Amino acid sequence: MPIVPGPVRPIGVRPPSRARAFVLTFARGESPTPVTRHVLLTCDPPKGTHLDPVGACGALVSAKGDPGSLAPLSGVVCTMRYDPVTVTATGTWDGRFVRFVKTYGSGCSLYAATGAVFSFGERSPR
Protein backbone atom coordinates (compact mmCIF):
# COMPACT_ATOMS: atom_id res chain seq x y z
CA MET A 1 0.00 0.00 0.00
CA PRO A 2 1.53 3.38 -0.98
CA ILE A 3 2.06 6.07 1.66
CA VAL A 4 0.02 9.16 0.94
CA PRO A 5 1.33 12.31 2.60
CA GLY A 6 -1.05 14.51 4.61
CA PRO A 7 -1.84 18.09 3.72
CA VAL A 8 1.15 20.36 3.38
CA ARG A 9 1.10 23.28 5.79
CA PRO A 10 3.38 26.30 5.34
CA ILE A 11 6.14 26.66 7.92
CA GLY A 12 4.97 28.54 11.00
CA VAL A 13 1.25 27.83 10.50
CA ARG A 14 -0.26 25.98 13.44
CA PRO A 15 -2.98 23.36 13.03
CA PRO A 16 -6.51 24.56 13.93
CA SER A 17 -6.46 22.76 17.30
CA ARG A 18 -3.77 25.18 18.47
CA ALA A 19 -6.18 28.10 18.88
CA ARG A 20 -5.18 31.35 20.54
CA ALA A 21 -8.34 32.98 21.90
CA PHE A 22 -9.45 34.63 25.14
CA VAL A 23 -12.52 36.17 26.68
CA LEU A 24 -11.13 39.08 28.71
CA THR A 25 -13.16 40.77 31.47
CA PHE A 26 -12.77 43.93 33.54
CA ALA A 27 -14.54 44.61 36.86
CA ARG A 28 -14.30 47.44 39.36
CA GLY A 29 -13.35 46.31 42.87
CA GLU A 30 -11.64 43.27 44.30
CA SER A 31 -13.97 40.70 42.72
CA PRO A 32 -14.19 39.57 39.09
CA THR A 33 -17.96 40.18 39.24
CA PRO A 34 -19.96 42.09 38.32
CA VAL A 35 -18.19 42.49 34.99
CA THR A 36 -18.04 46.08 33.75
CA ARG A 37 -16.70 45.26 30.28
CA HIS A 38 -15.70 42.16 28.36
CA VAL A 39 -14.16 41.46 24.96
CA LEU A 40 -13.23 38.56 22.73
CA LEU A 41 -9.63 38.42 21.54
CA THR A 42 -8.34 35.94 18.98
CA CYS A 43 -4.69 35.98 17.99
CA ASP A 44 -4.44 33.86 14.88
CA PRO A 45 -4.94 36.33 13.17
CA PRO A 46 -5.48 39.19 15.67
CA LYS A 47 -9.18 40.14 15.73
CA GLY A 48 -12.26 40.16 17.91
CA THR A 49 -14.04 42.90 19.84
CA HIS A 50 -10.84 44.07 21.58
CA LEU A 51 -9.93 47.72 20.88
CA ASP A 52 -6.30 46.85 20.00
CA PRO A 53 -6.12 43.17 18.99
CA VAL A 54 -2.71 43.56 17.30
CA GLY A 55 -1.10 45.13 20.38
CA ALA A 56 -2.77 42.72 22.81
CA CYS A 57 -1.81 39.67 20.75
CA GLY A 58 1.75 40.92 20.36
CA ALA A 59 2.09 41.20 24.14
CA LEU A 60 0.56 37.74 24.66
CA VAL A 61 2.84 36.17 22.03
CA SER A 62 5.84 37.57 23.92
CA ALA A 63 4.41 36.13 27.17
CA LYS A 64 3.73 32.75 25.51
CA GLY A 65 0.00 33.16 26.16
CA ASP A 66 0.40 33.66 29.92
CA PRO A 67 -1.21 36.93 31.08
CA GLY A 68 0.68 36.57 34.38
CA SER A 69 3.97 36.82 32.49
CA LEU A 70 3.27 40.01 30.55
CA ALA A 71 6.19 42.43 30.48
CA PRO A 72 5.35 45.64 32.38
CA LEU A 73 5.47 48.90 30.47
CA SER A 74 8.39 51.16 31.25
CA GLY A 75 7.92 54.82 32.04
CA VAL A 76 4.32 54.58 33.33
CA VAL A 77 3.91 56.46 36.61
CA CYS A 78 0.78 55.88 38.70
CA THR A 79 -0.49 57.59 41.84
CA MET A 80 -0.79 55.56 45.04
CA ARG A 81 -4.58 56.00 45.11
CA TYR A 82 -6.24 52.63 45.76
CA ASP A 83 -9.17 52.09 43.38
CA PRO A 84 -9.02 48.33 42.66
CA VAL A 85 -9.91 46.65 39.40
CA THR A 86 -10.03 42.91 38.72
CA VAL A 87 -9.45 41.31 35.35
CA THR A 88 -9.80 37.80 34.00
CA ALA A 89 -8.59 35.99 30.91
CA THR A 90 -10.19 32.67 30.04
CA GLY A 91 -9.43 30.71 26.89
CA THR A 92 -6.87 28.60 25.08
CA TRP A 93 -3.35 29.20 23.87
CA ASP A 94 -1.69 26.62 21.62
CA GLY A 95 -3.89 23.83 22.94
CA ARG A 96 -3.47 24.80 26.61
CA PHE A 97 -6.40 26.02 28.75
CA VAL A 98 -5.68 29.37 30.43
CA ARG A 99 -7.54 30.92 33.37
CA PHE A 100 -6.09 34.14 34.81
CA VAL A 101 -7.64 36.30 37.55
CA LYS A 102 -5.87 39.23 39.19
CA THR A 103 -6.75 42.38 41.13
CA TYR A 104 -4.68 45.53 40.57
CA GLY A 105 -4.60 48.61 42.81
CA SER A 106 -5.93 50.89 40.06
CA GLY A 107 -6.63 51.10 36.35
CA CYS A 108 -3.24 52.76 35.95
CA SER A 109 -1.38 49.92 37.69
CA LEU A 110 -3.32 47.45 35.52
CA TYR A 111 -2.23 49.32 32.40
CA ALA A 112 1.39 49.55 33.59
CA ALA A 113 1.48 45.79 34.24
CA THR A 114 -0.44 44.51 31.21
CA GLY A 115 -0.28 47.19 28.50
CA ALA A 116 -2.67 46.65 25.62
CA VAL A 117 -4.06 43.30 26.81
CA PHE A 118 -6.58 44.74 29.31
CA SER A 119 -6.65 48.31 27.97
CA PHE A 120 -10.32 47.94 26.97
CA GLY A 121 -11.45 48.20 30.62
CA GLU A 122 -11.43 51.97 30.90
CA ARG A 123 -11.70 54.66 28.27
CA SER A 124 -8.48 56.22 29.55
CA PRO A 125 -6.13 53.58 31.00
CA ARG A 126 -3.97 56.12 32.86
Side-chain angles (χ1 to χ4, degrees):
M1 178 182 286
I3 297 176
V4 178
V8 176
R9 194 176 287 119
I11 294 175
V13 175
R14 286 176 307 285
S17 65
R18 308 291 279 182
R20 293 179 169 183
F22 287 109
V23 172
L24 305 171
T25 69
F26 175 94
R28 297 212 168 271
E30 296 178 358
S31 172
T33 58
V35 170
T36 304
R37 296 190 70 192
H38 66 279
V39 296
L40 173 64
L41 175 68
T42 60
C43 293
D44 196 14
K47 61 182 179 177
T49 58
H50 195 286
L51 298 174
D52 181 9
V54 172
C57 289
L60 285 165
V61 165
S62 295
K64 296 180 172 60
D66 178 7
S69 297
L70 290 167
L73 300 177
S74 62
V76 178
V77 179
C78 300
T79 66
M80 295 301 292
R81 182 172 169 241
Y82 187 67
D83 187 14
V85 296
T86 302
V87 294
T88 69
T90 306
T92 59
W93 192 269
D94 290 344
R96 174 177 48 91
F97 177 75
V98 176
R99 174 75 174 146
F100 172 81
V101 180
K102 187 164 182 180
T103 300
Y104 294 87
S106 67
C108 181
S109 61
L110 166 67
Y111 177 71
T114 66
V117 176
F118 292 101
S119 64
F120 66 88
E122 297 181 322
R123 296 290 177 205
S124 174
R126 292 169 226 195

PDB file of all heavy atoms in Angstrom, residues 75-106:
ATOM      1  N   GLY A  75       8.234  53.406  32.101  1.00  0.00           N
ATOM      2  CA  GLY A  75       7.920  54.821  32.040  1.00  0.00           C
ATOM      3  C   GLY A  75       6.512  55.203  32.453  1.00  0.00           C
ATOM      4  O   GLY A  75       6.152  56.375  32.387  1.00  0.00           O
ATOM      5  N   VAL A  76       5.673  54.253  32.880  1.00  0.00           N
ATOM      6  CA  VAL A  76       4.323  54.583  33.329  1.00  0.00           C
ATOM      7  C   VAL A  76       4.387  54.886  34.820  1.00  0.00           C
ATOM      8  O   VAL A  76       4.874  54.076  35.606  1.00  0.00           O
ATOM      9  CB  VAL A  76       3.332  53.427  33.065  1.00  0.00           C
ATOM     10  CG1 VAL A  76       1.944  53.782  33.589  1.00  0.00           C
ATOM     11  CG2 VAL A  76       3.275  53.102  31.581  1.00  0.00           C
ATOM     12  N   VAL A  77       3.910  56.051  35.209  1.00  0.00           N
ATOM     13  CA  VAL A  77       3.908  56.461  36.609  1.00  0.00           C
ATOM     14  C   VAL A  77       2.465  56.568  37.072  1.00  0.00           C
ATOM     15  O   VAL A  77       1.659  57.260  36.450  1.00  0.00           O
ATOM     16  CB  VAL A  77       4.631  57.815  36.799  1.00  0.00           C
ATOM     17  CG1 VAL A  77       4.591  58.249  38.251  1.00  0.00           C
ATOM     18  CG2 VAL A  77       6.060  57.731  36.286  1.00  0.00           C
ATOM     19  N   CYS A  78       2.137  55.874  38.161  1.00  0.00           N
ATOM     20  CA  CYS A  78       0.778  55.879  38.698  1.00  0.00           C
ATOM     21  C   CYS A  78       0.775  56.489  40.096  1.00  0.00           C
ATOM     22  O   CYS A  78       1.766  56.376  40.823  1.00  0.00           O
ATOM     23  CB  CYS A  78       0.234  54.448  38.787  1.00  0.00           C
ATOM     24  SG  CYS A  78       0.148  53.585  37.214  1.00  0.00           S
ATOM     25  N   THR A  79      -0.346  57.096  40.471  1.00  0.00           N
ATOM     26  CA  THR A  79      -0.490  57.587  41.838  1.00  0.00           C
ATOM     27  C   THR A  79      -0.696  56.400  42.763  1.00  0.00           C
ATOM     28  O   THR A  79      -0.969  55.285  42.315  1.00  0.00           O
ATOM     29  CB  THR A  79      -1.695  58.547  41.960  1.00  0.00           C
ATOM     30  OG1 THR A  79      -2.891  57.797  41.722  1.00  0.00           O
ATOM     31  CG2 THR A  79      -1.587  59.696  40.967  1.00  0.00           C
ATOM     32  N   MET A  80      -0.602  56.629  44.056  1.00  0.00           N
ATOM     33  CA  MET A  80      -0.785  55.557  45.041  1.00  0.00           C
ATOM     34  C   MET A  80      -2.251  55.401  45.451  1.00  0.00           C
ATOM     35  O   MET A  80      -2.561  54.664  46.372  1.00  0.00           O
ATOM     36  CB  MET A  80       0.089  55.834  46.269  1.00  0.00           C
ATOM     37  CG  MET A  80       1.583  55.801  45.966  1.00  0.00           C
ATOM     38  SD  MET A  80       2.139  54.217  45.292  1.00  0.00           S
ATOM     39  CE  MET A  80       1.929  53.163  46.706  1.00  0.00           C
ATOM     40  N   ARG A  81      -3.151  56.088  44.789  1.00  0.00           N
ATOM     41  CA  ARG A  81      -4.582  56.004  45.109  1.00  0.00           C
ATOM     42  C   ARG A  81      -5.078  54.580  44.863  1.00  0.00           C
ATOM     43  O   ARG A  81      -4.904  54.034  43.780  1.00  0.00           O
ATOM     44  CB  ARG A  81      -5.353  56.993  44.247  1.00  0.00           C
ATOM     45  CG  ARG A  81      -6.824  57.001  44.544  1.00  0.00           C
ATOM     46  CD  ARG A  81      -7.503  58.146  43.796  1.00  0.00           C
ATOM     47  NE  ARG A  81      -8.931  57.958  43.893  1.00  0.00           N
ATOM     48  CZ  ARG A  81      -9.731  57.786  42.860  1.00  0.00           C
ATOM     49  NH1 ARG A  81      -9.238  57.824  41.634  1.00  0.00           N
ATOM     50  NH2 ARG A  81     -11.007  57.602  43.025  1.00  0.00           N
ATOM     51  N   TYR A  82      -5.726  53.991  45.875  1.00  0.00           N
ATOM     52  CA  TYR A  82      -6.240  52.634  45.760  1.00  0.00           C
ATOM     53  C   TYR A  82      -7.670  52.679  45.237  1.00  0.00           C
ATOM     54  O   TYR A  82      -8.579  53.212  45.878  1.00  0.00           O
ATOM     55  CB  TYR A  82      -6.192  51.915  47.113  1.00  0.00           C
ATOM     56  CG  TYR A  82      -6.544  50.456  47.024  1.00  0.00           C
ATOM     57  CD1 TYR A  82      -5.726  49.553  46.359  1.00  0.00           C
ATOM     58  CD2 TYR A  82      -7.705  49.967  47.610  1.00  0.00           C
ATOM     59  CE1 TYR A  82      -6.044  48.211  46.272  1.00  0.00           C
ATOM     60  CE2 TYR A  82      -8.031  48.622  47.537  1.00  0.00           C
ATOM     61  CZ  TYR A  82      -7.205  47.754  46.866  1.00  0.00           C
ATOM     62  OH  TYR A  82      -7.521  46.417  46.791  1.00  0.00           O
ATOM     63  N   ASP A  83      -7.866  52.169  44.042  1.00  0.00           N
ATOM     64  CA  ASP A  83      -9.166  52.089  43.381  1.00  0.00           C
ATOM     65  C   ASP A  83      -9.144  50.782  42.582  1.00  0.00           C
ATOM     66  O   ASP A  83      -8.953  50.786  41.364  1.00  0.00           O
ATOM     67  CB  ASP A  83      -9.361  53.301  42.466  1.00  0.00           C
ATOM     68  CG  ASP A  83     -10.758  53.375  41.864  1.00  0.00           C
ATOM     69  OD1 ASP A  83     -11.657  52.658  42.342  1.00  0.00           O
ATOM     70  OD2 ASP A  83     -10.932  54.146  40.896  1.00  0.00           O
ATOM     71  N   PRO A  84      -9.296  49.641  43.269  1.00  0.00           N
ATOM     72  CA  PRO A  84      -9.015  48.333  42.659  1.00  0.00           C
ATOM     73  C   PRO A  84      -9.877  47.975  41.450  1.00  0.00           C
ATOM     74  O   PRO A  84     -11.038  48.374  41.356  1.00  0.00           O
ATOM     75  CB  PRO A  84      -9.260  47.354  43.801  1.00  0.00           C
ATOM     76  CG  PRO A  84     -10.220  48.045  44.691  1.00  0.00           C
ATOM     77  CD  PRO A  84      -9.887  49.509  44.599  1.00  0.00           C
ATOM     78  N   VAL A  85      -9.247  47.234  40.559  1.00  0.00           N
ATOM     79  CA  VAL A  85      -9.914  46.648  39.404  1.00  0.00           C
ATOM     80  C   VAL A  85      -9.463  45.189  39.304  1.00  0.00           C
ATOM     81  O   VAL A  85      -8.336  44.865  39.667  1.00  0.00           O
ATOM     82  CB  VAL A  85      -9.599  47.403  38.089  1.00  0.00           C
ATOM     83  CG1 VAL A  85     -10.135  48.823  38.142  1.00  0.00           C
ATOM     84  CG2 VAL A  85      -8.120  47.408  37.787  1.00  0.00           C
ATOM     85  N   THR A  86     -10.352  44.344  38.858  1.00  0.00           N
ATOM     86  CA  THR A  86     -10.033  42.915  38.718  1.00  0.00           C
ATOM     87  C   THR A  86     -10.281  42.499  37.278  1.00  0.00           C
ATOM     88  O   THR A  86     -11.309  42.846  36.692  1.00  0.00           O
ATOM     89  CB  THR A  86     -10.886  42.068  39.680  1.00  0.00           C
ATOM     90  OG1 THR A  86     -10.644  42.514  41.017  1.00  0.00           O
ATOM     91  CG2 THR A  86     -10.542  40.592  39.577  1.00  0.00           C
ATOM     92  N   VAL A  87      -9.332  41.768  36.730  1.00  0.00           N
ATOM     93  CA  VAL A  87      -9.447  41.308  35.351  1.00  0.00           C
ATOM     94  C   VAL A  87      -9.351  39.785  35.297  1.00  0.00           C
ATOM     95  O   VAL A  87      -8.770  39.153  36.187  1.00  0.00           O
ATOM     96  CB  VAL A  87      -8.360  41.935  34.454  1.00  0.00           C
ATOM     97  CG1 VAL A  87      -8.574  43.437  34.324  1.00  0.00           C
ATOM     98  CG2 VAL A  87      -6.965  41.633  34.967  1.00  0.00           C
ATOM     99  N   THR A  88      -9.928  39.228  34.241  1.00  0.00           N
ATOM    100  CA  THR A  88      -9.802  37.798  33.999  1.00  0.00           C
ATOM    101  C   THR A  88      -9.491  37.567  32.525  1.00  0.00           C
ATOM    102  O   THR A  88      -9.835  38.380  31.669  1.00  0.00           O
ATOM    103  CB  THR A  88     -11.099  37.013  34.338  1.00  0.00           C
ATOM    104  OG1 THR A  88     -12.122  37.352  33.396  1.00  0.00           O
ATOM    105  CG2 THR A  88     -11.568  37.292  35.756  1.00  0.00           C
ATOM    106  N   ALA A  89      -8.828  36.470  32.266  1.00  0.00           N
ATOM    107  CA  ALA A  89      -8.595  35.986  30.907  1.00  0.00           C
ATOM    108  C   ALA A  89      -8.896  34.496  30.929  1.00  0.00           C
ATOM    109  O   ALA A  89      -8.298  33.756  31.719  1.00  0.00           O
ATOM    110  CB  ALA A  89      -7.155  36.229  30.476  1.00  0.00           C
ATOM    111  N   THR A  90      -9.818  34.080  30.106  1.00  0.00           N
ATOM    112  CA  THR A  90     -10.188  32.671  30.035  1.00  0.00           C
ATOM    113  C   THR A  90     -10.176  32.262  28.569  1.00  0.00           C
ATOM    114  O   THR A  90     -10.774  32.940  27.732  1.00  0.00           O
ATOM    115  CB  THR A  90     -11.595  32.438  30.617  1.00  0.00           C
ATOM    116  OG1 THR A  90     -11.646  32.983  31.934  1.00  0.00           O
ATOM    117  CG2 THR A  90     -11.927  30.949  30.664  1.00  0.00           C
ATOM    118  N   GLY A  91      -9.468  31.168  28.271  1.00  0.00           N
ATOM    119  CA  GLY A  91      -9.426  30.708  26.887  1.00  0.00           C
ATOM    120  C   GLY A  91      -8.379  29.645  26.666  1.00  0.00           C
ATOM    121  O   GLY A  91      -8.000  28.928  27.591  1.00  0.00           O
ATOM    122  N   THR A  92      -7.895  29.586  25.430  1.00  0.00           N
ATOM    123  CA  THR A  92      -6.873  28.600  25.081  1.00  0.00           C
ATOM    124  C   THR A  92      -5.725  29.282  24.365  1.00  0.00           C
ATOM    125  O   THR A  92      -5.910  30.293  23.683  1.00  0.00           O
ATOM    126  CB  THR A  92      -7.439  27.498  24.158  1.00  0.00           C
ATOM    127  OG1 THR A  92      -7.938  28.093  22.966  1.00  0.00           O
ATOM    128  CG2 THR A  92      -8.547  26.713  24.835  1.00  0.00           C
ATOM    129  N   TRP A  93      -4.549  28.712  24.549  1.00  0.00           N
ATOM    130  CA  TRP A  93      -3.352  29.203  23.871  1.00  0.00           C
ATOM    131  C   TRP A  93      -2.544  27.985  23.453  1.00  0.00           C
ATOM    132  O   TRP A  93      -2.065  27.244  24.303  1.00  0.00           O
ATOM    133  CB  TRP A  93      -2.538  30.096  24.795  1.00  0.00           C
ATOM    134  CG  TRP A  93      -1.469  30.847  24.071  1.00  0.00           C
ATOM    135  CD1 TRP A  93      -0.180  30.437  23.874  1.00  0.00           C
ATOM    136  CD2 TRP A  93      -1.586  32.112  23.420  1.00  0.00           C
ATOM    137  NE1 TRP A  93       0.503  31.376  23.147  1.00  0.00           N
ATOM    138  CE2 TRP A  93      -0.340  32.417  22.859  1.00  0.00           C
ATOM    139  CE3 TRP A  93      -2.629  33.015  23.258  1.00  0.00           C
ATOM    140  CZ2 TRP A  93      -0.105  33.594  22.152  1.00  0.00           C
ATOM    141  CZ3 TRP A  93      -2.390  34.177  22.561  1.00  0.00           C
ATOM    142  CH2 TRP A  93      -1.135  34.454  22.010  1.00  0.00           C
ATOM    143  N   ASP A  94      -2.442  27.754  22.171  1.00  0.00           N
ATOM    144  CA  ASP A  94      -1.690  26.624  21.620  1.00  0.00           C
ATOM    145  C   ASP A  94      -2.083  25.299  22.275  1.00  0.00           C
ATOM    146  O   ASP A  94      -1.245  24.498  22.678  1.00  0.00           O
ATOM    147  CB  ASP A  94      -0.183  26.863  21.759  1.00  0.00           C
ATOM    148  CG  ASP A  94       0.310  27.963  20.841  1.00  0.00           C
ATOM    149  OD1 ASP A  94      -0.415  28.333  19.895  1.00  0.00           O
ATOM    150  OD2 ASP A  94       1.431  28.461  21.057  1.00  0.00           O
ATOM    151  N   GLY A  95      -3.386  25.083  22.407  1.00  0.00           N
ATOM    152  CA  GLY A  95      -3.892  23.826  22.939  1.00  0.00           C
ATOM    153  C   GLY A  95      -3.908  23.730  24.458  1.00  0.00           C
ATOM    154  O   GLY A  95      -4.289  22.709  25.012  1.00  0.00           O
ATOM    155  N   ARG A  96      -3.528  24.789  25.148  1.00  0.00           N
ATOM    156  CA  ARG A  96      -3.472  24.798  26.612  1.00  0.00           C
ATOM    157  C   ARG A  96      -4.582  25.700  27.144  1.00  0.00           C
ATOM    158  O   ARG A  96      -4.752  26.830  26.695  1.00  0.00           O
ATOM    159  CB  ARG A  96      -2.096  25.318  27.035  1.00  0.00           C
ATOM    160  CG  ARG A  96      -1.877  25.533  28.489  1.00  0.00           C
ATOM    161  CD  ARG A  96      -0.433  25.992  28.757  1.00  0.00           C
ATOM    162  NE  ARG A  96       0.046  27.061  27.905  1.00  0.00           N
ATOM    163  CZ  ARG A  96      -0.058  28.366  28.186  1.00  0.00           C
ATOM    164  NH1 ARG A  96      -0.640  28.755  29.295  1.00  0.00           N
ATOM    165  NH2 ARG A  96       0.428  29.264  27.364  1.00  0.00           N
ATOM    166  N   PHE A  97      -5.361  25.214  28.126  1.00  0.00           N
ATOM    167  CA  PHE A  97      -6.402  26.025  28.751  1.00  0.00           C
ATOM    168  C   PHE A  97      -5.755  27.051  29.668  1.00  0.00           C
ATOM    169  O   PHE A  97      -4.840  26.730  30.426  1.00  0.00           O
ATOM    170  CB  PHE A  97      -7.371  25.153  29.554  1.00  0.00           C
ATOM    171  CG  PHE A  97      -8.423  25.951  30.275  1.00  0.00           C
ATOM    172  CD1 PHE A  97      -9.483  26.512  29.579  1.00  0.00           C
ATOM    173  CD2 PHE A  97      -8.341  26.164  31.640  1.00  0.00           C
ATOM    174  CE1 PHE A  97     -10.444  27.266  30.230  1.00  0.00           C
ATOM    175  CE2 PHE A  97      -9.293  26.913  32.298  1.00  0.00           C
ATOM    176  CZ  PHE A  97     -10.354  27.467  31.596  1.00  0.00           C
ATOM    177  N   VAL A  98      -6.228  28.287  29.605  1.00  0.00           N
ATOM    178  CA  VAL A  98      -5.679  29.369  30.427  1.00  0.00           C
ATOM    179  C   VAL A  98      -6.818  30.007  31.211  1.00  0.00           C
ATOM    180  O   VAL A  98      -7.860  30.342  30.646  1.00  0.00           O
ATOM    181  CB  VAL A  98      -4.990  30.452  29.556  1.00  0.00           C
ATOM    182  CG1 VAL A  98      -4.507  31.607  30.413  1.00  0.00           C
ATOM    183  CG2 VAL A  98      -3.849  29.849  28.756  1.00  0.00           C
ATOM    184  N   ARG A  99      -6.608  30.179  32.510  1.00  0.00           N
ATOM    185  CA  ARG A  99      -7.542  30.920  33.371  1.00  0.00           C
ATOM    186  C   ARG A  99      -6.698  31.831  34.248  1.00  0.00           C
ATOM    187  O   ARG A  99      -5.868  31.369  35.036  1.00  0.00           O
ATOM    188  CB  ARG A  99      -8.365  29.966  34.225  1.00  0.00           C
ATOM    189  CG  ARG A  99      -9.252  30.648  35.248  1.00  0.00           C
ATOM    190  CD  ARG A  99     -10.472  31.272  34.615  1.00  0.00           C
ATOM    191  NE  ARG A  99     -11.349  31.789  35.667  1.00  0.00           N
ATOM    192  CZ  ARG A  99     -12.088  32.860  35.549  1.00  0.00           C
ATOM    193  NH1 ARG A  99     -12.099  33.522  34.428  1.00  0.00           N
ATOM    194  NH2 ARG A  99     -12.839  33.269  36.543  1.00  0.00           N
ATOM    195  N   PHE A 100      -6.871  33.137  34.086  1.00  0.00           N
ATOM    196  CA  PHE A 100      -6.093  34.136  34.812  1.00  0.00           C
ATOM    197  C   PHE A 100      -7.065  35.084  35.493  1.00  0.00           C
ATOM    198  O   PHE A 100      -8.009  35.575  34.873  1.00  0.00           O
ATOM    199  CB  PHE A 100      -5.211  34.905  33.817  1.00  0.00           C
ATOM    200  CG  PHE A 100      -4.489  36.087  34.396  1.00  0.00           C
ATOM    201  CD1 PHE A 100      -3.315  35.913  35.107  1.00  0.00           C
ATOM    202  CD2 PHE A 100      -4.968  37.376  34.205  1.00  0.00           C
ATOM    203  CE1 PHE A 100      -2.632  37.013  35.630  1.00  0.00           C
ATOM    204  CE2 PHE A 100      -4.295  38.471  34.719  1.00  0.00           C
ATOM    205  CZ  PHE A 100      -3.125  38.287  35.434  1.00  0.00           C
ATOM    206  N   VAL A 101      -6.849  35.342  36.792  1.00  0.00           N
ATOM    207  CA  VAL A 101      -7.641  36.304  37.549  1.00  0.00           C
ATOM    208  C   VAL A 101      -6.672  37.092  38.412  1.00  0.00           C
ATOM    209  O   VAL A 101      -5.853  36.494  39.125  1.00  0.00           O
ATOM    210  CB  VAL A 101      -8.684  35.619  38.467  1.00  0.00           C
ATOM    211  CG1 VAL A 101      -9.486  36.652  39.241  1.00  0.00           C
ATOM    212  CG2 VAL A 101      -9.600  34.703  37.688  1.00  0.00           C
ATOM    213  N   LYS A 102      -6.752  38.426  38.352  1.00  0.00           N
ATOM    214  CA  LYS A 102      -5.871  39.230  39.190  1.00  0.00           C
ATOM    215  C   LYS A 102      -6.502  40.584  39.478  1.00  0.00           C
ATOM    216  O   LYS A 102      -7.132  41.183  38.609  1.00  0.00           O
ATOM    217  CB  LYS A 102      -4.511  39.427  38.532  1.00  0.00           C
ATOM    218  CG  LYS A 102      -3.531  40.125  39.455  1.00  0.00           C
ATOM    219  CD  LYS A 102      -2.112  39.992  39.008  1.00  0.00           C
ATOM    220  CE  LYS A 102      -1.209  40.693  40.025  1.00  0.00           C
ATOM    221  NZ  LYS A 102       0.180  40.608  39.658  1.00  0.00           N
ATOM    222  N   THR A 103      -6.304  41.052  40.719  1.00  0.00           N
ATOM    223  CA  THR A 103      -6.752  42.377  41.131  1.00  0.00           C
ATOM    224  C   THR A 103      -5.553  43.306  41.161  1.00  0.00           C
ATOM    225  O   THR A 103      -4.492  42.949  41.693  1.00  0.00           O
ATOM    226  CB  THR A 103      -7.418  42.321  42.519  1.00  0.00           C
ATOM    227  OG1 THR A 103      -8.559  41.444  42.443  1.00  0.00           O
ATOM    228  CG2 THR A 103      -7.876  43.704  42.977  1.00  0.00           C
ATOM    229  N   TYR A 104      -5.722  44.486  40.589  1.00  0.00           N
ATOM    230  CA  TYR A 104      -4.685  45.526  40.566  1.00  0.00           C
ATOM    231  C   TYR A 104      -5.182  46.712  41.400  1.00  0.00           C
ATOM    232  O   TYR A 104      -6.393  46.926  41.520  1.00  0.00           O
ATOM    233  CB  TYR A 104      -4.396  45.962  39.127  1.00  0.00           C
ATOM    234  CG  TYR A 104      -3.772  44.867  38.312  1.00  0.00           C
ATOM    235  CD1 TYR A 104      -4.556  43.931  37.646  1.00  0.00           C
ATOM    236  CD2 TYR A 104      -2.385  44.749  38.205  1.00  0.00           C
ATOM    237  CE1 TYR A 104      -3.981  42.909  36.904  1.00  0.00           C
ATOM    238  CE2 TYR A 104      -1.804  43.728  37.466  1.00  0.00           C
ATOM    239  CZ  TYR A 104      -2.607  42.816  36.822  1.00  0.00           C
ATOM    240  OH  TYR A 104      -2.038  41.800  36.093  1.00  0.00           O
ATOM    241  N   GLY A 105      -4.257  47.502  41.937  1.00  0.00           N
ATOM    242  CA  GLY A 105      -4.601  48.610  42.810  1.00  0.00           C
ATOM    243  C   GLY A 105      -5.358  49.740  42.134  1.00  0.00           C
ATOM    244  O   GLY A 105      -6.060  50.507  42.787  1.00  0.00           O
ATOM    245  N   SER A 106      -5.233  49.838  40.813  1.00  0.00           N
ATOM    246  CA  SER A 106      -5.931  50.888  40.061  1.00  0.00           C
ATOM    247  C   SER A 106      -5.893  50.537  38.576  1.00  0.00           C
ATOM    248  O   SER A 106      -5.141  49.649  38.159  1.00  0.00           O
ATOM    249  CB  SER A 106      -5.263  52.246  40.283  1.00  0.00           C
ATOM    250  OG  SER A 106      -3.973  52.261  39.701  1.00  0.00           O
TER     251      SER A 106
END
